[in-house]
Amino acid sequence: MIPKKFHLGWFTNFTVDEWHEPFASGGGSPWDGQFYIEFCKALERACFDYFMLEDTLMVPESYGGNAELALRRASQVPKHDPVPLAAVIASHTKHLGIVATMSTLGYPPFLLARVSATIDHLSGGRFGWNIVTSGEDAAAQNFGLDKLPEHDLRYDVAHEFMDVVNQLFASWEPGAIIMDRDTETYADYTKVMPINFEGQWFKCRGPLNTAPSPQGRPAYIQAGGSDKGRDFAAKHADSIIATANGPAAMKDFRDDVRRRAAKFGRNPDDIKVLYLFSPVMGETEAEAWMVNERGMSQQRFAERRLALMSGITDIDFSKFSMDEPLPVDLTTNGESHSLKRFAQFGSGKPLRQLIKEAKSGSAEAVGTPDQVAQKMGEIMAEVGGDGFLIRNPFHNSNRRYIYEITDGLVPALQRRGLVRTEYTKPTLRETLLEF
Ligand SMILES: Cc1cc2nc3c(=O)[nH]c(=O)nc-3n(C[C@H](O)[C@H](O)[C@H](O)COP(=O)(O)O)c2cc1C
């Protein structure tokens, strides 16, 4: 039987590289973008569907009530704007999809639609927007609010936001640009119409002042895990970035969003669910376990994980004992699904163990490239699709790990017929829909 192919993406952000590791990537100065250009060229050689740049909009202070740990460990900060980096990457690649995160909290819809259309042009139709609502009080306070709006309300606002941007993207009818030499007419003004949007939260006249872009709108990427979040993704997303603890939970999540998509009248196959996945590899299985052990036993591994969890939940994880489970009544107005998945409430596992288990993304994989490839095929066969989003298991991106994936794991997947060996479509949305 010919195996069903699955998709590959990479999950990272525009931040410091692994400046202090034995095989560091050049000294912690990735700000000129060169490291990311090289990174993306390697991903393109390996035929990844997309490169995804996560983002947040604050210096986190929730761990211990100050920014000490976040800054000492460079966790979530410094972090640069992914949008200009996406434009730079676009000009150095030809096929790879490039996804930048932009928050509905920070951007007015008109500017978001405008910059998206612009980068979609610059990339020849390879731009994607990771739609987020932001999950931190500190981010809200950078945009004139005293605190983050309540979780479900953020999704209601985001639905209206989508309505505005979708109308803006459609504000130029097909064929509006005529470039008629005889009449010296560039665009037909009767086909470029205001949208006159007046909603509960947004008011926007339109039309958009950019030319219609190759994809019409960017590919929409989303990561909601709550009830409201899943509905949002099912309604809008071309691809969902997801986490789940193990193949059974991965299958449940995917089945659930597919059901919801059908309920909204969409073809569930039009949504590709990609799971965070952080394999650890070596030339032998024993070597891979050694790398795994070394990575997880470092103090910085635990500290960075806690700093991250505090940052995205506004919960001070410095208050909890490493040797006990987290309190079961812990809640957040931030990333609720990420908290639930991390805390594994009711499992009785101590915090120390939860930190280790959070490393894997969605399923543990430690071994040779062939062993990991085999496992990925088995997981996808059980889950039903649609792919993986690779993320460095321990720290930030570094060249050594990137090439282990692109030159070890991907060829092993390709030999099994599990992933693409070429790009056949020009745009990101078409690439996602290819299988
Ligand atoms: C894999 C993954 C990636 C995410 N990336 C971002 C991000 O870059 N920026 C951000 O503000 N939120 C990010 N989020 C948060 C989600 O967009 C969403 O707001 C959060 O999961 C809360 O939604 P929920 O309560 O429906 O799970 C991410 C979540 C997941 C699971």
Side-chain angles (χ1 to χ4, degrees), residues 11 54-55 101 130 132 134 151 155 223-226 229 241 335-337:
F11 183 84
E54 172 269 8
D55 197 30
T101 299
N130 178 34
V132 303
S134 292
H151 177 274
Y155 276 119
S226 61
I241 52 178
E335 295 197 22
S336 65
H337 181 66

Side-chain angles (χ1 to χ4, degrees), residues 321-326 347-355:
S321 159
M322 283 290 203
D323 301 313
E324 286 172 29
L326 291 168
S347 67
K349 292 176 186 171
L351 182 53
R352 191 182 311 284
Q353 182 66 20
L354 298 177
I355 291 169

Side-chain angles (χ1 to χ4, degrees), residues 160 164 167 195-205:
E160 190 177 296
V164 187
Q167 289 190 33
I195 63 168
N196 292 319
F197 188 96
E198 276 192 47
Q200 205 174 337
W201 294 285
F202 300 105
K203 192 170 170 186
C204 179
R205 185 177 187 277

Side-chain angles (χ1 to χ4, degrees), residues 239-240 242 253-254 257 271-275 380 385-388:
S239 178
I240 298 178
F253 178 83
R254 179 171 180 270
V257 289
I271 305 179
K272 305 301 175 189
V273 183
L274 268 55
Y275 286 95
M380 276 296 119
D386 300 288
F388 294 97

